[in-house]
């Protein structure tokens, strides 16, 4: 009688695909491809960043360019996960912009709100109106790109000032030794721009107008994150905090 059930048995056997088919193996290889995983992770992070960016309350100011925010947000998130950020404020300085523009944004990351926007100087050897040359070396009088954490407040030759610690080896980790700090300066003003066609320049410090420097320092002190941005390929190639 078994011959009566033979067609049914054969049907059942051939109805199930082996677990290790070429199709399944290919899918498994694709799912574990490091390049594919990295690409998917990057796309996911960019979507997260875009969502956060669109919800920021500009508070009457313009927002930073998304390209600068994306890089800033990536490093900020890594530093936060490492437990290095205590004051959840992100300051973005966009050195791709003219020094005649207000190119520093201070964003409260908890409330997702811009709380300050102002002028900021670059180092005198980094360029005239635009910053385009950067260094981590002593006595270079150039700005350094990348991520910083704010340190202690002190009174120096420029009055109330804020020390900075560079978080990126070989890029800005020499900031404290170079005395690169946040401070006020009379050469950072709209009047200076009117008289000279550009902003004044520092010895490498992100100097700001005297009328906002105290408010700024009190807002960002205590291990908040500062990111100095420029679309420099050499910076991206060297940085471990942006991709």
């Amino acid at each position: 009688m078994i011959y009566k059930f033979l067609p049914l048995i054969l049907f059942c056997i051939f109805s199930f695909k082996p677990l290790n088919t070429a199709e399944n193996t290919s899918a498994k290889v694709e799912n574990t491809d490091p390049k594919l995983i990295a690409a998917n992770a990057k796309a996911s992070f960019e979507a997260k960043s875009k969502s956060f960016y669109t919800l920021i309350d500009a508070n009457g100011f313009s927002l930073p360019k998304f390209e600068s925010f994306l890089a800033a947000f990536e490093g900020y998130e890594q530093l936060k996960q490492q437990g290095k950020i205590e004051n959840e404020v992100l300051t973005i300085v966009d050195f791709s912009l003219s020094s005649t523009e207000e190119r520093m944004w201070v964003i409260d990351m908890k409330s997702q709100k811009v709380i300050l926007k102002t002028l900021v100087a670059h180092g005198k050897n980094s360029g005239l109106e635009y910053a385009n040359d950067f260094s981590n070396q002593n006595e270079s009088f150039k700005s350094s790109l990348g991520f910083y954490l704010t340190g202690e407040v002190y009174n120096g030759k420029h009055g109330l000032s804020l020390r900075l610690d560079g978080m990126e080896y070989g890029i800005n980790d020499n900031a404290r030794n170079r005395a690169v700090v946040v401070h006020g300066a009379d050469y950072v003003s709209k009047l200076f721009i009117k008289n000279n066609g550009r902003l004044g320049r520092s010895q490498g410090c992100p100097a700001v107008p005297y009328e906002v420097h105290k408010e700024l320092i009190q807002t960002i002190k205590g291990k908040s994150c500062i990111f100095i941005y420029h679309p420099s390929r050499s910076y991206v190639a060297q940085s471990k905090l942006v991709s």
Side-chain angles (χ1 to χ4, degrees), residues 64 68-69 72 90-94 103-107 227 229:
S68 61
F69 176 80
L90 172 60
T91 301
I92 300 174
V93 175
D94 187 351
R103 52 185 180 170
M104 172 186 277
W105 289 260
V106 181
I107 304 171
F227 176 60
Y229 169 82

Side-chain angles (χ1 to χ4, degrees), residues 47-133:
K48 176 184 176 181
S49 302
K50 188 68 175 180
S51 176
F52 191 102
Y53 180 80
T54 57
L55 293 174
I56 294 175
D57 178 0
N59 193 25
F61 304 107
S62 63
L63 291 177
K65 293 182 295 185
F66 179 67
E67 291 77 12
S68 61
F69 176 80
L70 176 62
F73 191 58
E74 183 177 6
Y76 174 88
E77 287 287 282
Q78 289 190 57
L79 292 171
K80 186 179 176 182
Q81 289 173 9
Q82 294 169 15
K84 294 181 178 178
I85 292 176
E86 296 179 7
N87 180 4
E88 294 183 47
V89 171
L90 172 60
T91 301
I92 300 174
V93 175
D94 187 351
F95 276 162
S96 72
L97 300 176
S98 165
S99 63
T100 63
E101 298 182 52
E102 293 184 333
R103 52 185 180 170
M104 172 186 277
W105 289 260
V106 181
I107 304 171
D108 185 324
M109 299 297 278
K110 286 185 176 180
S111 63
Q112 294 182 241
K113 183 177 182 178
V114 178
I115 52 181
L116 185 66
K117 184 185 178 191
T118 187
L119 296 168
V120 59
H122 57 255
K124 67 179 185 179
N125 288 339
S126 281
L128 292 174
E129 179 183 343
Y130 288 88
N132 49 39
D133 196 2

Side-chain angles (χ1 to χ4, degrees), residues 1 15 34 44 53 89 92 106 122 142 179 187 189 201 205-206 209 212-213 232 235:
M1 296 288 293
S15 292
S44 177
Y53 180 80
V89 171
I92 300 174
V106 181
H122 57 255
K142 296 180 181 180
Y187 55 78
S189 68
R201 298 166 298 162
C205 298
V212 303
H213 86 287
S232 165
Y235 166 70

Side-chain angles (χ1 to χ4, degrees), residues 26 31 45 78 105 112 114 120-121 136 141 170 172 192-193 195 210 218 231 239:
S26 176
N31 290 336
F45 183 81
Q78 289 190 57
W105 289 260
Q112 294 182 241
V114 178
V120 59
N136 191 37
F141 299 148
N172 62 18
F192 192 98
I193 294 171
N195 292 335
Y210 268 124
Q218 292 300 326
S239 176

